[in-house]
DNA sequence: AACTTTTATCGTAATATTACGATTAAATAA
DNA sequence: TTATTTAATCGTAATATTACGATAAAAGTT
């Protein structure tokens, strides 16, 4: 059918998947890197940096904002975006939780 | 258009995005967790554990295998899947590289 | 008020993903 | 050889994502 059966999985599984999914596009990785590079992080700056149209960038920003990894503050006519450090810390904790076990798992086959 | 412009981004950005993307589905998170729980990790066991059909599970396994996070060994008529610990270690290193900077980034706005 | 700048949203088209049943292929068992 | 078992692949339909141009909305400027 093509619809992801979120209801069949736990909240923990869905949340973690949504977090990974938000980072599962090169443009969104690039946006994060741009936000790191520039301290002043106006939307227009990102559009200048990336080879995508303004509307597409806006969509990607919305997805990152949806999972809370970035936040945007309206400053006059423009919007200042930046990393939401506390959300990243929380995300890292969740990822580390599963990752630290995984790297220690012996390969049985 | 709807096609991801991979060619416009760096290999590092594409690789990292592909890694995250592979983990961006609750079924694939669940599969990883099943592989952790059971040491013997025959495909059929996973199908029993998850509320998805055999063919769908097989597709998800293929995606995880594509990015190298799991490996499968043919043992008779069945296939034994398991975590590829070294690939996870590499993935964790890549993720940590960007994550550790992010959690220290002050929120300017 | 009229204009400009900036970003979000709308409408759309193209591609990708998800899911399932049916079939195939490969190995074992009878 | 002929089943049987197991997993991958094929065919398909439905939904989601990606991307863009055009338009709208909101704030500042003249």
């Amino acid at each position: 059918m093509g619809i992801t059966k979120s209801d069949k999985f736990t909240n923990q599984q869905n949340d973690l998947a949504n977090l990974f999914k938000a980072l599962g596009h090169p443009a969104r990785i690039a946006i994060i890197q741009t936000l790191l590079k520039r301290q002043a992080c106006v939307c227009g700056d990102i559009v200048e940096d990336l080879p995508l149209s303004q509307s597409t960038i806006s969509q990607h920003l919305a997805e990152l904002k949806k999972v809370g990894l970035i936040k945007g503050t309206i400053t006059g006519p423009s919007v200042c975006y930046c990393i939401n450090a506390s959300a990243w810390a929380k995300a890292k904790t969740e990822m580390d939780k599963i990752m630290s076990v995984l790297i220690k798992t012996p390969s049985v086959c």
Side-chain angles (χ1 to χ4, degrees), chain A residues 9 15 19 24 46 49 53-55 62 64 66 76-77 83 87 105 108:
Chain A
F9 300 98
D15 290 350
L19 204 58
I46 303 167
D49 260 30
S53 75
Q54 182 268 321
S55 57
L64 288 169
K66 197 175 67 185
I83 301 295
T105 304
V108 187

Side-chain angles (χ1 to χ4, degrees), chain A residues 42-97:
Chain A
V42 178
C43 174
D45 294 343
I46 303 167
V47 176
E48 270 183 24
D49 260 30
L50 303 197
L52 295 171
S53 75
Q54 182 268 321
S55 57
T56 302
I57 301 281
S58 191
Q59 268 184 32
H60 284 303
L61 285 169
E63 289 200 59
L64 288 169
K65 208 160 51 173
K66 197 175 67 185
V67 294
L69 293 176
I70 65 171
K71 48 184 175 175
T73 310
I74 299 166
T75 60
S78 60
V79 176
C80 174
Y81 279 102
C82 67
I83 301 295
N84 185 353
S86 65
W88 277 97
K90 196 157 169 285
K92 185 167 161 47
T93 303
E94 281 306 306
M95 291 183 191
D96 278 354
K97 205 181 293 177

Side-chain angles (χ1 to χ4, degrees), chain A residues 6-23:
Chain A
S6 312
D7 54 309
K8 302 289 188 76
F9 300 98
T10 67
N11 284 342
Q12 192 236 347
Q13 287 167 338
N14 282 312
D15 290 350
L16 193 54
N18 283 331
L19 204 58
F20 281 124
K21 193 178 174 187
L23 295 170

